[in-house]
Amino acid sequence: YRAINDVQLPFWMGDWPRVVAKRQSVEHALEGAIGSSGLTAQWADVSRERLIRPYVAIALALTGDFSGADTLVRKTPRDCYICIRARARIAAVEKNWKGADYWFANAVKQAPSIPFAYAEWGRMLMAKGDLDGAIAKLEAAHQKGRHFADPLEMWGEALIAKNRSDLALAKFEEASKYAPNWGRLHLKWGEALWWNGKRDDAKKQFAIAATLDLSPLEKNELSRLGAA
């Protein structure tokens, strides 16, 4: 499990190059642990296929290695929720909207009561420019997971894109109840406040975001918004 965390923790932090860099050492660690730590070869295979490769495949796509991503994700099983979502996310990064729709629909069919695929589908539709479709999926994700902040935050972003930053404020405020230390949330909340003319409140949110984890792109966005 420690080796698996070496891939999954940087994944959830958005450090895609580190995820890719850790793949070989983590898979070797799994092989080395067989027998000596009670890990069976079968469990090592399951861990590799379902707990490592889907995350690495997504990271490969997000670092521009589409060929590597496609090759690796094909090695994952189709009865695996994260593996199907990985196929969908990779298709979305490649702007293969039809393929992404297909795989997200498959993931929703596999686990209709879990919010993650709905939320990621919503993110894909935002990237495609289908804001109304995105909001519908994000609303569904919120219904499936009331305390899941991601759909609310993305819903707010979609409303900003629709020039309804006034409505976005309520979504960001609600999301903050469940993820108070999420840097991107405070960044986008500040942006919505800025467009609403609440400059002092916006600067407070930007200041909070600056103290929290942000990706390089988010840091650039914060610098741009903070200097506006």
Side-chain angles (χ1 to χ4, degrees):
Y1 289 110
R2 184 175 180 181
I4 292 168
N5 285 340
D6 284 345
V7 162
Q8 292 198 6
L9 286 178
F11 178 88
W12 294 116
M13 292 295 294
D15 190 349
W16 318 123
R18 184 171 177 80
V19 174
V20 173
K22 283 289 184 179
R23 176 192 172 187
Q24 294 296 333
S25 63
V26 168
E27 292 202 9
H28 289 156
L30 279 175
E31 290 296 326
I34 294 174
S36 61
S37 62
L39 184 73
T40 65
Q42 182 180 12
W43 181 245
D45 287 340
V46 169
S47 298
R48 184 183 302 107
E49 291 177 354
R50 298 170 186 259
L51 301 178
I52 296 173
R53 286 179 175 169
Y55 299 94
V56 174
I58 294 169
L60 284 167
L62 288 167
T63 53
D65 185 357
F66 298 145
S67 176
D70 291 335
T71 298
L72 186 60
V73 82
R74 289 193 196 104
K75 297 179 180 179
T76 64
R78 296 196 179 196
D79 63 344
C80 161
Y81 183 59
I82 178 58
C83 303
I84 296 300
R85 285 164 47 214
R87 285 171 164 81
R89 287 192 63 179
I90 290 166
V93 175
E94 296 172 343
K95 293 183 170 54
N96 175 7
W97 310 126
K98 185 176 181 180
D101 278 328
Y102 173 83
W103 289 115
F104 278 128
N106 190 303
V108 164
K109 184 177 180 180
Q110 280 196 18
S113 62
I114 300 178
F116 303 124
Y118 296 95
E120 292 165 353
W121 202 347
R123 182 191 292 116
M124 180 277 284
L125 290 168
M126 283 179 61
K128 182 183 177 183
D130 181 0
L131 298 175
D132 291 332
I135 288 172
K137 295 301 181 187
L138 296 169
E139 185 174 7
H142 179 54
Q143 293 297 325
K144 303 295 180 180
R146 288 287 185 173
H147 294 176
F148 182 27
D150 291 44
L152 290 165
E153 189 278 334
M154 287 189 282
W155 194 341
E157 290 194 38
L159 288 168
I160 291 176
K162 285 173 66 71
N163 294 319
R164 292 307 310 267
S165 56
D166 55 322
L167 299 179
L169 295 175
K171 302 305 176 187
F172 294 133
E173 184 173 1
E174 186 177 357
S176 71
K177 298 176 184 177
Y178 313 122
N181 297 318
W182 183 7
R184 182 176 182 84
L185 169 59
H186 291 282
L187 170 64
K188 304 309 288 188
W189 194 354
E191 181 181 352
L193 287 163
W194 188 269
W195 293 127
N196 274 277
K198 300 179 179 180
R199 302 299 170 88
D200 290 340
D201 290 336
K203 290 177 180 178
K204 290 177 183 177
Q205 292 299 327
F206 293 150
I208 294 171
T211 69
L212 301 171
D213 289 320
L214 295 169
S215 71
L217 288 176
E218 290 164 351
K219 290 178 181 177
N220 289 337
E221 187 175 356
L222 178 60
S223 296
R224 177 176 57 80
L225 289 169

